Amino acid sequence: RFSHHKKELTNDDGRSFDGMENLMFDSRGLLWFVNNHYYTPALVCYNTKTDNIKVYKTFTNQDGTSYTLSYVTDVAEDKSGNIWIGTNSGPFMLEASQIGTSNETFTQVKVPRNDGSNFADYLLSGVYITAIAIDGGGRKWFGTNDNGVYLISEDNMTQLQHFQSDNSALLSDNILSLAIDDQSGEVFIGTGAGLC
């Protein structure tokens, strides 16, 4: 069925995407995956019922800042139906209300500094996110490239934990994948040195 979507799923030179991975169906029945390759980093949404495809190659946040990304690594859906993507510049979120609109804006969650300055920082800005998992409590688990695992509260405002090999049983700070057993709540972490 993808054969006639050849144009959408190619690089500028006409070659097929090189890193299509991490496929996931969301609660709406949409199939999402990423092209995790430096030549054309992208997020892809495919509606299998209507055979429509949307490829996101441009990532503009709510402040109008456009990002040139090197890698788009993973995709996950939270309890509110928002789509999260991991990138080499940190996590981005496509809010449920934005999905299917013509000019989607990717949200970078702003976390207040709470220092009296009224300033805020983007959540994990500049952190190379390699894997995302969302647990039954709506907390986000972000695996990173050589910086361990961050556990972020459901409301995205609080860093609950930062697991690294020097402060936990994590075998390596290089995180390749994350999976959560919804029955037991156990988090499985694939690292460059083995499974935790």
Side-chain angles (χ1 to χ4, degrees):
R1 295 185 69 177
F2 273 122
S3 60
H4 66 282
H5 290 297
K6 192 174 184 180
K7 185 177 180 209
E8 290 99 332
L9 299 176
T10 56
N11 297 323
D12 294 336
D13 65 1
R15 291 183 305 124
S16 174
F17 279 175
D18 296 300
M20 291 189 281
E21 56 189 46
N22 295 329
L23 285 83
M24 157 202 93
F25 278 97
D26 72 6
S27 59
R28 293 165 285 268
L30 299 172
L31 175 64
W32 296 86
F33 56 93
V34 298
N35 186 45
N36 185 19
H37 193 269
Y38 66 89
Y39 199 86
T40 309
L43 171 68
V44 180
C45 178
Y46 178 52
N47 186 328
T48 59
K49 293 178 183 70
T50 63
D51 198 31
N52 288 332
I53 197 164
K54 174 114 188 211
V55 180
Y56 303 88
K57 297 178 185 176
T58 303
F59 300 88
T60 303
N61 74 7
Q62 69 273 26
D63 296 325
T65 302
S66 291
Y67 285 81
T68 302
L69 300 174
S70 299
Y71 294 96
V72 180
T73 57
D74 203 1
V75 58
E77 181 183 19
D78 70 18
K79 290 172 61 175
S80 300
N82 303 313
I83 300 297
W84 288 82
I85 60 167
T87 79
N88 62 292
S89 294
F92 288 76
M93 177 181 62
L94 186 58
E95 293 185 32
S97 62
Q98 291 282 311
I99 297 170
T101 61
S102 57
N103 261 340
E104 291 94 341
T105 297
F106 287 83
T107 298
Q108 282 184 285
V109 172
K110 291 182 180 180
V111 181
R113 290 183 186 169
N114 293 324
D115 60 2
S117 67
N118 288 328
F119 288 118
D121 298 298
Y122 293 133
L123 176 67
L124 300 179
S125 178
V127 176
Y128 192 148
I129 305 296
T130 54
I132 304 172
I134 299 170
D135 67 22
R139 299 176 302 178
K140 286 80 182 177
W141 295 75
F142 293 108
T144 69
N145 181 12
D146 289 327
N147 201 7
V149 177
Y150 289 90
L151 175 59
I152 305 298
S153 62
E154 181 182 14
D155 68 2
N156 310 316
M157 294 295 116
T158 306
Q159 177 181 307
L160 302 173
Q161 297 283 343
H162 182 196
F163 299 104
Q164 293 182 293
S165 56
D166 63 2
N167 70 4
S168 71
L170 204 56
L171 295 171
S172 165
D173 291 331
N174 180 28
I175 309 304
L176 304 174
S177 57
L178 294 166
I180 298 174
D181 182 335
D182 290 334
Q183 300 301 312
S184 68
E186 288 177 294
V187 179
F188 292 85
I189 304 169
T191 79
L195 179 67
C196 302

